[in-house]
Amino acid sequence: MTEHLGENAELYPLGLLDDDAVHDVERHIALCFACAERVAQAQSVAAALAAALPQATPSPALERRLRESARPQPGAAKARASIFPFGLAAAIALIFLGLGWQTLVLHQQLKADDVALVTMVHSHFNHVSMAPESANPVAAKILYARDGSWIYIIADKPGGSLHAIAETATGTIDLGVLPGTGETASLLLHPRERIRSVTLQRAGTDVASARLMY
Amino acid sequence: MDELVDDFVARRPSGLEQAYALWSRLLFGVARHAIADRGSAEDCVHDALVRVWRSPNRFTGNREMLKAYLIACVRNESLGMIRREGRRDARELKAVRLAPVSSIDPPVVDPVETQRLQAALGRLPDEQRTALTLAYYGNKTHVEIARELDVPLGTIKSRISMAMRKLQTELASTEGVRS
Ligand SMILES: [Zn+2]
């Protein structure tokens, strides 16, 4: 997760990656702005290549099957509605696939850092340096909206993969691994509940933590 | 706002229907390019469309981006099916039938767009163009291309990656030229 996709970003839309690698790409771009952008660009090039392929008309049975598959399943509608509450007008939602927890909003047409900057420009925010928790800590900061609508965790030289755990009033949420390069790792979240504290772990050991005051 | 994209992302059946109405021939063409069997190609289009529609959180962007994403998903589904079912024979036959290894040119569909693509491909360095067209139009994996051209695998991956990025620049620079 800490590794960016690199050339796999271009190989992915060409169908060159095996199932495991495809899965890795899809997981990574759900959390990494830079790679999501790179994959989106590669997809548009692949679409141009596909436009030169001969088109073909599928049988009417396919459309019937699709309609059948699109029919709402009993009990599914409610879960869907709660999973995807915000509009896609300007920003775009990607949902972290664990616990139904919403983590990210981004706009693929913007560069990764621009998304964070734009988010900050439009809100009042606080920041806090994370306190070291081990002999081998990590330098990390959290910027967060005063209204609790987003938090941005940034770690400098993470020194391995960093796992983020958040506490809210109702429990603990595993935010997963902070995406990033070897140099930095960061994560922009739009949590459903106010996050009260964040702990970063490296190899299962706490390395930094911070309490957020609103 | 784009109604199609809105409906699709909101998982309304109408979103799926509109996408299908617009792009079924294109997507089926993408599947058929890799899979000779019509029924299996239809399975791929069905599975890819339904999977994306059911989890649209994986998709972000405008209509063109949705189209590009669906194309990539159908392509991955199709080649994945071939890999999973070990239908290498069918695939290789298809690839051979599509194009000889030495010159794999995109078939002509939309003359203006194809011309623009051809021109952009033509501006790529030879070895990059060869690697990319073998991969996309020849349905070859990077492993097969490396073996065929007797070049290290890493080199082929780099060539394909660079070809894609250069092609993006080339296509962007000619965008809007079409009247
Ligand atoms: Zn990345």
Side-chain angles (χ1 to χ4, degrees):
Chain A
M1 203 55 178
T2 49
E3 293 270 311
H4 282 292
L5 297 178
E7 290 164 353
N8 277 1
E10 283 79 37
L11 303 187
Y12 165 76
L14 298 175
L16 290 172
L17 302 181
D18 62 28
D19 290 352
D20 287 346
V22 165
H23 183 75
D24 287 347
V25 167
E26 288 174 351
R27 241 186 89 80
H28 185 91
I29 61 179
L31 295 169
C32 176
F33 299 124
C35 291
E37 170 77 11
R38 186 166 165 179
V39 167
Q41 285 171 350
Q43 274 170 2
S44 72
V45 176
L49 293 170
L53 293 175
Q55 300 194 352
T57 307
S59 71
L62 178 58
E63 189 170 1
R64 283 198 298 274
R65 267 173 77 198
L66 275 167
R67 280 177 195 275
E68 193 64 30
S69 302
R71 207 173 277 172
Q73 322 252 308
K78 211 172 170 188
R80 283 179 190 171
S82 66
I83 261 176
F84 209 75
F86 35 80
L88 279 247
I92 307 299
L94 291 179
I95 294 177
F96 184 61
L97 301 173
L99 307 172
W101 179 253
Q102 321 158 10
T103 61
L104 288 185
V105 172
L106 75 130
H107 197 306
Q108 283 205 342
Q109 286 162 331
L110 296 176
K111 294 267 181 263
D113 291 339
D114 292 346
V115 175
L117 289 174
V118 167
T119 305
M120 287 171 210
V121 163
H122 291 289
S123 50
H124 297 287
F125 63 90
N126 297 338
H127 62 94
V128 58
S129 292
M130 298 190 75
E133 293 284 4
S134 80
N136 185 16
V138 65
K141 225 167 206 205
I142 299 178
L143 286 70
Y144 59 102
R146 283 188 207 161
D147 64 6
S149 61
W150 56 265
I151 85 167
Y152 188 41
I153 307 169
I154 316 155
D156 186 28
K157 301 195 175 45
S161 106
L162 290 175
H163 206 105
I165 314 279
E167 293 283 344
T168 69
T170 56
T172 303
I173 294 144
D174 187 343
L175 300 174
V177 174
L178 247 56
T181 59
E183 282 301 297
T184 59
S186 65
L187 187 60
L188 177 67
L189 316 169
H190 287 254
R192 189 176 289 171
E193 298 171 79
R194 265 187 194 190
I195 289 177
R196 294 177 160 187
S197 70
V198 175
T199 303
L200 294 180
Q201 296 180 336
R202 194 195 289 121
T205 307
D206 291 3
V207 289
S209 69
R211 186 161 289 283
L212 311 187
M213 310 296 274
Y214 295 94
Chain B
M1 281 310 288
D2 186 322
E3 196 191 340
L4 188 166
V5 176
D6 284 355
D7 286 355
F8 196 94
V9 170
R11 304 177 197 204
R12 291 182 200 110
S14 58
L16 188 59
E17 283 163 22
Q18 289 176 74
Y20 186 81
L22 266 181
W23 302 319
S24 62
R25 298 191 71 246
L26 171 65
L27 296 174
F28 189 53
V30 169
R32 282 301 302 275
H33 180 65
I35 299 176
D37 179 61
R38 282 186 67 95
S40 304
E42 288 187 359
D43 288 347
C44 286
V45 173
H46 172 272
D47 293 355
L49 268 173
V50 169
R51 186 166 56 84
V52 176
W53 179 75
R54 285 196 181 140
S55 54
N57 44 295
R58 293 195 183 175
F59 164 72
T60 65
N62 60 26
R63 182 181 288 219
E64 278 308 298
M65 290 161 83
L66 177 59
K67 181 175 93 177
Y69 182 47
L70 292 175
I71 289 170
C73 289
V74 169
R75 171 90 180 162
N76 272 313
E77 192 74 37
S78 307
L79 294 184
M81 175 187 272
I82 284 167
R83 276 191 293 264
R84 280 191 299 275
E85 298 184 5
R87 283 194 228 151
R88 302 189 56 80
D89 47 348
R91 170 171 159 207
E92 277 163 11
L93 279 175
K94 176 83 177 154
V96 168
R97 188 145 50 80
L98 277 168
V101 165
S102 55
S103 73
I104 291 170
D105 300 317
V108 176
V109 181
D110 175 336
V112 178
E113 278 305 302
T114 305
Q115 203 174 22
R116 191 172 144 236
L117 177 67
Q118 292 279 16
L121 282 169
R123 286 190 291 273
L124 299 180
D126 286 348
E127 75 270 10
Q128 288 180 18
R129 183 178 53 253
T130 303
L132 178 60
T133 50
L134 279 172
Y136 203 82
Y137 297 113
N139 285 334
K140 303 226 177 246
T141 65
H142 38 304
V143 178
E144 289 165 338
I145 299 169
R147 203 183 310 137
E148 221 161 82
L149 300 179
D150 197 19
V151 173
L153 183 59
T155 308
I156 293 300
K157 288 165 86 168
S158 301
R159 283 181 190 172
I160 293 171
S161 166
M162 283 189 289
M164 289 286 280
R165 283 179 289 160
K166 184 145 200 299
L167 199 54
Q168 186 203 343
T169 313
E170 293 291 344
L171 288 170
S173 72
T174 55
E175 210 159 23
V177 168
R178 178 174 192 167
S179 52

